[in-house]
């Protein structure tokens, strides 16, 4: 196992973690961005399975949030406003009249303090940042995000945080996965299984209505393996929805398979659900490491709580109180289906 560090633009650093199974993960201290994940296919051909820009300077704006840590609150906050104990807070609107992914000053555009580490079984990098009160969010936050790579081809993402005031917090990572390898095709022919019986209903602006819908008999039914691309058409255009995980003994909440390469990605988390986003609005023509962007070129598994809880009953609360510790843990495991 080894860790390599590369300086970019003087202030940025990219850490590449490589295990003994020929898998590697590259992470920027800017935005905590995962720029590249290399994993072998069934024929031991090592290829990149995430979307990343060809030119590092494109990460400065990163309108698609490629690979980044998202927060303080991942997702859309209706009308860019919320209340805590009767007190109203106004945020910056950056998605129409709504607030998206932490706003224009989100965590995806800050330089984190990075500390690499290595143990007998793992390698990784710990990112730390103090998010000061502002932009409408109350409280000063101390946030730590740790990326750990194991020899079992597992990538662990651990998030911890504390605040001096009650504040909403729902962190996630916004990596776009494509198991074809080197972006040879879209994710339309990937097979997906998900341990979810319900999904949050959305309005025309992709804001949760407060209703929770049973997936049975709908295009959101993934409890039995289905092809993602069945909903990539003019009527539906894919997914950008919050799926609520079922409780139970099943540790793996998501399984994604790509039959040609044999690659399999599983996701397990301690979070109550996730937004699955299938790059519905990814405009063509942006230069990536292995080609150019196009619709449905990747799929994001944004494990987190949902900001719907700020306006509606029935969703797990995302408020972090002083004296509490926010703890989120998500594991992405790469395997081969022979």
């Amino acid at each position: 196992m080894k860790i390599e560090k590369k300086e970019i633009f003087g202030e940025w650093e990219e850490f590449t973690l490589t295990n003994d199974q020929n898998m590697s993960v590259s992470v920027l201290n800017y935005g905590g961005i995962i720029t590249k994940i290399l994993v072998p296919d069934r024929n031991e051909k090592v290829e990149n399975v995430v979307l990343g820009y060809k030119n590092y300077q494109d990460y400065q704006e990163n309108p698609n949030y490629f690979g980044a840590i998202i927060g303080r609150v991942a997702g859309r906050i209706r009308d860019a406003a919320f209340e805590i104990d009767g007190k109203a807070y106004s945020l910056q609107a950056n998605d129409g009249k709504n607030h998206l992914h932490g706003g224009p000053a989100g965590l995806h555009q800050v330089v984190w303090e990075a500390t690499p580490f290595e143990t007998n079984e793992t390698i990784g990098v710990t990112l730390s940042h103090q998010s000061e009160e502002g932009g409408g969010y109350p409280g000063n936050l101390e946030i730590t995000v740790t990326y750990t790579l194991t020899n079992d081809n597992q990538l662990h993402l651990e998030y911890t945080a504390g605040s001096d005031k009650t504040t909403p917090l729902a962190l996630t990572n916004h990596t776009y996965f494509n198991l074809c390898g080197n972006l040879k095709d879209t994710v339309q022919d990937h097979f997906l299984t998900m341990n979810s019986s319900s999904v949050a209903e959305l309005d025309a602006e992709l804001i949760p209505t407060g209703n929770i819908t049973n997936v049975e008999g709908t295009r959101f039914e993934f409890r039995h393996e289905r092809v993602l691309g069945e909903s990539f058409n003019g009527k539906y255009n894919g997914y950008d929805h919050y799926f609520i995980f079922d409780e139970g003994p099943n540790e793996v909440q998501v399984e994604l398979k790509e039959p040609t390469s044999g690659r399999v990605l599983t996701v397990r988390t301690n979070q109550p659900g996730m937004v699955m986003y299938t790059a519905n609005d990814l405009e063509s023509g942006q230069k990536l490491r292995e080609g150019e962007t196009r619709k449905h070129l990747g799929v994001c598994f944004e494990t987190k709580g949902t900001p719907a809880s700020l306006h509606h009953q029935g969703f797990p609360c995302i408020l972090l109180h002083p004296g509490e510790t926010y703890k989120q843990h998500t594991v992405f495991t790469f395997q081969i289906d022979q």
Side-chain angles (χ1 to χ4, degrees), residues 18-78:
T18 305
N19 68 11
D20 296 334
Q21 309 302 320
N22 217 13
M23 173 180 171
S24 67
V25 179
S26 297
V27 179
L28 283 176
N29 65 338
Y30 178 76
I33 294 168
I34 294 175
T35 60
K36 184 170 53 177
I37 297 179
L38 301 179
V39 294
D41 66 5
R42 64 161 58 94
N43 298 315
E44 300 185 358
K45 184 177 182 180
V46 177
E47 295 174 305
N48 185 27
V49 294
V50 302
L51 276 63
Y53 289 115
K54 179 179 180 180
N55 302 311
Y56 284 101
Q57 56 262 37
D58 290 335
Y59 286 114
Q60 290 181 307
E61 295 299 325
N62 199 9
N64 304 296
Y65 304 93
F66 286 148
I69 296 169
I70 304 297
R72 293 187 180 186
V73 174
R76 293 174 174 85
I77 297 179
R78 188 187 71 190

Side-chain angles (χ1 to χ4, degrees), residues 69-179:
I69 296 169
I70 304 297
R72 293 187 180 186
V73 174
R76 293 174 174 85
I77 297 179
R78 188 187 71 190
D79 297 328
F82 59 91
E83 290 187 2
I84 299 177
D85 296 331
K87 182 177 179 180
Y89 295 88
S90 295
L91 305 171
Q92 295 169 285
N94 63 324
D95 185 60
K97 64 181 181 179
N98 305 306
H99 177 85
L100 174 67
H101 288 342
L107 298 176
H108 64 290
Q109 291 183 313
V110 302
V111 176
W112 296 64
E113 181 179 340
T115 305
F117 64 87
E118 183 173 358
T119 71
N120 291 334
E121 301 295 333
T122 66
I123 49 175
V125 58
T126 297
L127 304 175
S128 303
H129 176 66
Q130 180 170 329
S131 175
E132 297 182 355
E133 181 171 319
Y137 285 105
N140 298 296
L141 280 177
E142 293 283 350
I143 307 172
T144 300
V145 181
T146 301
Y147 296 82
T148 304
L149 178 63
T150 74
N151 269 328
D152 296 325
N153 285 0
Q154 292 186 344
L155 176 61
H156 294 246
L157 277 64
E158 297 180 78
Y159 309 74
T160 61
S163 176
D164 58 5
K165 293 182 180 178
T166 300
T167 191
L169 188 65
L171 304 176
T172 197
N173 179 275
H174 208 279
T175 292
Y176 293 68
F177 295 99
N178 183 322
L179 302 183

Side-chain angles (χ1 to χ4, degrees), residues 209-245:
T209 64
N211 296 326
I212 296 175
T213 302
N214 190 293
V215 303
E216 187 171 356
T218 74
R219 68 189 184 99
F220 303 103
E221 170 65 273
F222 287 102
R223 290 174 295 181
H224 305 287
E225 186 177 77
R226 283 180 52 222
V227 177
L228 261 183
E230 288 182 8
S231 285
F232 294 177
N233 54 54
K235 183 178 181 180
Y236 294 118
N237 193 33
Y239 300 91
D240 193 3
H241 296 77
Y242 188 79
F243 290 81
I244 300 165
F245 294 135

